């Protein structure tokens, strides 16, 4: 069965669908949230509401119900599929959300823009469960780990349906660098028969495309983007679709055989195909060139109305069993050292989920480019997608 990750289903689960509080995808801006309509609660006695905006397919079935049961706090949980969508919402202000989950490099931009508030770590009694190495890595973008707590992490890579790819390649052996499967016409021209899909976001595709053409992954030089774009344009005719949240079901359903996407979603797609009784041999590949690491972090918007509840939720997630529950449900690594013992053995030993140190070293670290470059990147991505 498909787990009820989608907010509409979760809303039904929580019994709030009938109240008009639940919205799909990025349509939430039009909805009236309970936070907006409620009379302000006296200080120290916060209204029992928490509004969360997170990536789709990123939650265990019991994460929210257990929190609600325990605290009496009603959660409204909406989902998005790209940092770009979340960022635009935060920029427009008054999101109504109390916790949002940008990747760490985007959260850095949001801190610089005054859109987030610092955590009160005195309220996070489970903070000590976090892995010091991950905290150190995050401190590169968030000094003193003042704003961000990692939800889960993974990396952008190539995912394949092993059987379908082998069949489509025929006599041709797998390339030494698996990125050739999505960036080299020699391979894409064959694989288009079983379907190639790309994430639908410039900041997911370009760092990797730049590295593939020998340029710095976070280059601020517009000429480098032109070179990467020209490489991408050559494979464009072979790409069937651009989709981010849709890759799990597309792979699980056998509609595509190759994806530029998130490693966690590839493992999840395999599990979902098994649940759907149509098992597909889907694998996240560790490429010789390396993928692009991301850490999706819980942060509190500057104008959040339920800051105390937000801290309660973050502290709840940091419980070893809860954090492990997320990892077990969605096959993404968590940053919680104390959680490891609660992670299912199969997940814990999967080296595409918990990467060995030598493979972590090969990943492009999360990073940013300047605003002018982001515009150049977006323009080239649109050109790439539209095939102009
Ligand atoms: C969850 C995808 C989140 C990963 N399905 C992208 N940061």
């Amino acid at each position: 069965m498909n787990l009820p990750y989608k907010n509409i289903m979760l809303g039904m689960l929580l019994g709030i669908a009938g109240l008009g509080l639940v919205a799909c995808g990025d349509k939430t801006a039009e909805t009236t949230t309970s936070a907006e309509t409620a009379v302000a609660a006296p200080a120290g006695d916060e209204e029992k509401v928490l509004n969360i905006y997170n990536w789709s397919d990123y939650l265990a079935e019991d994460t929210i119900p257990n929190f609600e049961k325990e605290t009496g706090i009603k959660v409204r949980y909406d989902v998005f599929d790209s940092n770009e969508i979340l960022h635009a919402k935060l920029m427009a202000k008054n999101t109504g959300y109390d916790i949002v989950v940008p990747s760490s490099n985007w959260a850095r931009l949001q801190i610089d823009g005054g859109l987030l508030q610092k955590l009160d770590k005195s309220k996070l009694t489970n903070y000590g469960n976090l892995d010091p190495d991950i905290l150190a890595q995050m401190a590169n973008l968030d000094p003193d780990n003042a704003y961000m707590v990692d939800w889960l992490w993974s990396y952008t890579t190539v995912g394949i349906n092993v059987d379908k790819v082998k069949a489509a390649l025929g006599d041709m052996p797998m390339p030494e660098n698996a990125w050739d499967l999505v960036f080299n016409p020699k391979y894409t021209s064959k694989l288009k028969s079983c379907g190639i899909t790309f994430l639908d976001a410039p900041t997911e595709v370009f760092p990797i495309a730049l590295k593939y053409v020998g340029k710095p992954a976070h280059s601020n030089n517009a000429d480098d983007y032109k070179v990467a774009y020209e490489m991408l344009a050559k494979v464009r005719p072979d790409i069937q679709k651009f989709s981010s949240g849709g890759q799990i079901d597309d792979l699980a359903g056998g509609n595509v055989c190759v994806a530029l996407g998130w490693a966690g979603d590839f493992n999840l797609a395999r599990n979902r195909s098994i649940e759907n009784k149509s098992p597909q041999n889907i694998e996240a590949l560790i490429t010789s060139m390396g993928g692009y690491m991301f850490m999706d972090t819980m942060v509190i918007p500057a104008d959040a109305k339920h800051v105390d509840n937000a801290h309660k939720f973050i502290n709840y997630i940091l419980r070893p069993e809860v954090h492990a529950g997320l990892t077990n449900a969605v096959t993404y690594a968590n940053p919680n050292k104390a959680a490891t013992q609660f992670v299912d053995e199969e997940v814990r030993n999967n080296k595409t989920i918990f990467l060995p140190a030598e493979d972590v070293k090969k990943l492009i670290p999360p990073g940013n480019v300047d605003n002018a470059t982001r515009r150049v990147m977006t323009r080239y991505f649109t050109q790439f997608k539209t095939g102009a």
Side-chain angles (χ1 to χ4, degrees):
M1 73 158 195
N2 286 345
L3 293 171
Y5 296 127
K6 299 286 180 205
N7 56 359
I8 189 74
M9 293 188 68
L10 188 69
M12 283 153 73
L13 196 73
L14 303 179
I16 56 174
L19 302 179
L21 304 182
V22 180
C24 284
D26 61 354
K27 287 191 222 116
T28 52
E30 291 114 52
T31 64
T32 305
T33 68
S34 54
E36 284 158 3
T37 51
V39 180
D45 187 13
E46 204 168 76
E47 180 193 24
K48 288 208 167 265
V49 168
L50 180 66
N51 300 298
I52 303 177
Y53 196 37
N54 198 351
W55 299 80
S56 61
D57 288 293
Y58 224 21
L59 191 65
E61 241 176 311
D62 61 359
T63 314
I64 302 293
N66 285 350
F67 176 76
E68 291 189 309
K69 220 181 295 159
E70 191 178 304
T71 60
I73 295 168
K74 269 272 157 237
V75 176
R76 182 187 63 147
Y77 190 89
D78 295 331
V79 298
F80 58 85
D81 284 324
S82 76
N83 277 301
E84 282 81 349
I85 290 175
L86 167 58
H87 191 68
K89 268 212 160 87
L90 286 170
M91 293 281 284
K93 311 266 172 79
N94 295 317
T95 60
Y97 292 112
D98 305 302
I99 294 183
V100 295
V101 190
S103 301
S104 57
N105 50 333
W106 285 83
R108 176 70 248 165
L109 299 179
Q110 291 147 11
I111 293 167
D112 293 341
L115 301 173
L116 305 181
Q117 60 179 278
K118 279 190 181 166
L119 298 164
D120 178 350
K121 290 206 193 127
S122 71
K123 294 181 176 162
L124 303 177
T125 53
N126 296 324
Y127 197 81
N129 292 337
L130 287 165
D131 182 337
D133 290 343
I134 294 192
L135 286 174
Q137 146 86 316
M138 289 180 57
N140 293 330
L141 289 164
D142 179 24
D144 303 323
N145 304 106
Y147 291 83
M148 313 178 197
V149 174
D150 185 49
W151 172 265
L152 295 171
W153 69 271
S154 182
Y155 52 98
T156 305
T157 189
V158 185
I160 60 168
N161 182 318
V162 179
D163 305 324
K164 285 181 192 289
V165 164
K166 279 199 178 132
L169 290 183
D171 295 339
M172 194 182 271
M174 283 287 279
E176 196 274 314
N177 177 6
W179 285 111
D180 284 343
L181 296 174
V182 292
F183 291 148
N184 182 342
K186 192 170 119 192
Y187 295 91
T188 58
S189 58
K190 292 202 177 279
L191 294 168
K192 77 180 205 195
S193 61
C194 56
I196 303 175
T197 180
F198 271 42
L199 289 174
D200 191 5
T203 53
E204 297 277 5
V205 174
F206 266 103
I208 296 162
L210 284 161
K211 189 167 176 188
Y212 183 80
V213 297
K215 305 293 181 192
H218 301 301
S219 171
N220 279 311
N221 179 345
D223 295 342
D224 291 348
Y225 287 81
K226 184 163 186 289
V227 176
Y229 163 74
E230 281 164 357
M231 178 279 288
L232 290 168
K234 292 203 181 89
V235 295
R236 177 64 187 95
D238 300 335
I239 298 168
Q240 185 189 103
K241 56 159 78 169
F242 290 84
S243 161
S244 297
Q247 289 195 354
I248 299 169
D249 285 336
D250 279 337
L251 281 161
N255 306 329
V256 295
C257 64
V258 183
L260 181 160
W262 303 310
D265 279 8
F266 300 148
N267 283 298
L268 187 53
R270 184 182 54 255
N271 291 349
R272 194 167 288 177
S273 74
I274 295 165
E275 280 165 12
N276 292 346
K277 310 235 174 326
S278 163
Q280 306 284 333
N281 189 3
I282 298 157
E283 264 182 25
L285 300 182
I286 305 286
T287 68
S288 56
M289 186 187 97
Y292 182 20
M293 178 185 224
F294 58 82
M295 319 194 88
D296 295 327
T297 66
M298 294 179 274
V299 293
I300 307 179
D303 56 6
K305 294 195 178 68
H306 309 96
V307 175
D308 202 40
N309 295 346
H311 283 88
K312 283 196 178 108
F313 185 80
I314 294 171
N315 203 38
Y316 163 78
I317 293 297
L318 289 177
R319 282 187 206 164
E321 298 87 337
V322 177
H323 232 152
L326 294 180
T327 293
N328 289 334
V330 298
T331 61
Y332 277 78
N334 66 65
N336 193 317
K337 243 192 157 158
T340 311
Q341 57 175 316
F342 300 105
V343 174
D344 297 339
E345 208 182 324
E346 201 189 320
V347 175
R348 197 177 3 164
N349 294 333
N350 184 329
K351 293 196 168 15
T352 71
I353 300 173
F354 288 95
L355 288 182
E358 68 266 23
D359 288 323
V360 173
K361 268 193 226 124
K362 282 195 281 176
L363 299 176
I364 301 165
N368 282 316
V369 298
D370 60 38
N371 288 339
T373 303
R374 196 165 314 103
R375 281 193 290 277
V376 169
M377 192 194 308
T378 303
R379 207 176 51 237
Y380 274 125
F381 192 70
T382 308
Q383 231 172 296
F384 166 47
K385 270 177 68 176
T386 56

